[in-house]
Amino acid sequence: MEVETLEQTISFVREKLNNAEAGHDWFHVERVWKNAKLILEREIADREVVELTALLHDIADSKFHDGDEEIGPRIASDFLLSIGVSAEKVTHIQKIIKNMSFKASLGKVSFHSKEMEIVQDADRLDAIGAIGIARAFHFGGYKNNPLFDPQVIPRLNQTKEEYKKNTGTTINHFYEKLLLLKDKMNTITAKAIAEKRHSYMEGFLSQFYEEWDGHK
Ligand code: ADP
Ligand code: NI
């Protein structure tokens, strides 16, 4: 891959995400990109597609664009074509961005590739562990959701529509998504990292309940 392609993409993303909220800002993208590069060390895949997708995967989240799920993939592909990336790769990248999210995975996903597995793992790793906890409470605060309510039961096996509408507690989000991610990892590298991050979240939850009950 040409250094220029990467550099132009980085500046485009940094600029676009300048005012993004903390859960989906440039630093999230940078962490996902780093995770993707780590996973790539042990996988055979198209490096250019993986790195460019990692950088562009959250260029416009539908959550912040009235639910428009086409806008992100469209902005990404218009940009990539404008800097001369091949149409074939652009189509692949666009398909990954459309299908890789947790939300999309709750619906029907008809597309699959090694490159998608890698970027999906890289993004999912950033939703768990210490960073995952920070992002979840940040998101909950943004939505004004309660931290926890013992009366509100987690809703497992939600459909894509239910997941999007959910206004439950942030602690429930751990049961509805974060604790499920470890078993959804595609690559061995991500599986190993996810195990550790998963245990860290379990430790956090048990400490949380002890403190909630005034036991610690
Ligand atoms: P995706 O973009 O993969 O579909 P989401 O947009 O659901 O994933 O999640 C993006 C980030 O926001 C993640 O870190 C996730 O944990 C957090 N998040 C999403 N929904 C909630 C929620 N209801 N409560 C707390 N955090 C949430
Ligand atoms: Ni992301």
Side-chain angles (χ1 to χ4, degrees):
M1 170 177 29
E2 285 177 39
V3 181
E4 182 133 312
T5 307
L6 203 56
E7 278 172 1
Q8 282 175 305
T9 307
I10 293 167
S11 9
F12 176 73
V13 176
R14 288 187 89 133
E15 225 257 334
K16 270 261 178 223
L17 296 182
N18 196 19
N19 289 312
E21 57 82 32
H24 293 91
D25 59 0
W26 162 252
F27 294 113
H28 162 66
V29 169
E30 193 180 40
R31 291 190 301 268
V32 172
W33 179 37
K34 286 181 191 162
N35 291 342
K37 286 192 280 188
L38 184 72
I39 297 170
L40 265 174
E41 288 176 14
R42 298 182 65 174
E43 303 291 331
I44 297 163
D46 183 328
R47 168 171 286 272
E48 182 171 32
V49 168
V50 170
E51 289 198 40
L52 295 178
T53 310
L55 287 167
L56 288 158
H57 82 279
D58 272 333
I59 199 70
D61 192 311
S62 64
K63 271 199 287 315
F64 309 114
H65 291 86
D66 297 324
D68 184 346
E69 290 172 14
E70 299 294 325
I71 188 163
R74 195 171 58 238
I75 293 175
S77 51
D78 288 351
F79 167 73
L80 291 169
L81 290 171
S82 82
I83 61 163
V85 175
S86 79
E88 192 194 343
K89 288 198 189 205
V90 174
T91 307
H92 186 180
I93 292 169
Q94 195 176 22
K95 283 189 185 151
I96 302 178
I97 299 177
K98 262 189 203 166
N99 292 292
M100 65 177 266
S101 77
F102 181 74
K103 194 160 49 306
S105 78
L106 297 173
K108 208 168 131 242
V109 175
S110 47
F111 178 76
H112 191 263
S113 72
K114 187 78 211 169
E115 290 73 16
M116 171 156 127
E117 288 187 350
I118 296 172
V119 186
Q120 193 171 49
D121 279 2
D123 193 30
R124 285 175 170 171
L125 283 176
D126 205 55
I128 60 178
I131 300 270
I133 296 171
R135 288 180 76 209
F137 284 98
H138 170 76
F139 183 95
Y142 179 82
K143 290 273 186 181
N144 201 20
N145 291 340
L147 299 178
F148 175 53
D149 182 341
Q151 308 272 348
V152 183
I153 318 283
R155 301 174 57 185
L156 300 176
N157 304 314
Q158 294 178 85
T159 63
K160 184 176 163 187
E161 294 312 313
E162 286 166 347
Y163 177 79
K164 281 201 292 192
K165 278 199 289 234
N166 193 331
T167 52
T169 72
T170 301
I171 288 292
N172 279 358
H173 185 65
F174 284 76
Y175 300 94
E176 290 163 352
K177 173 178 174 185
L178 308 186
L179 295 170
L180 310 178
L181 291 177
K182 162 177 82 69
D183 294 327
K184 289 180 183 279
M185 295 296 166
N186 304 299
T187 63
I188 45 164
T189 308
K191 279 185 183 143
I193 301 172
E195 287 292 341
K196 293 189 216 141
R197 296 191 183 191
H198 185 89
S199 314
Y200 186 85
M201 291 193 293
E202 286 186 323
F204 167 79
L205 288 169
S206 53
Q207 174 81 20
F208 186 96
Y209 298 129
E210 298 258 27
E211 292 181 13
W212 188 270
D213 291 331
H215 291 328
K216 245 185 186 166

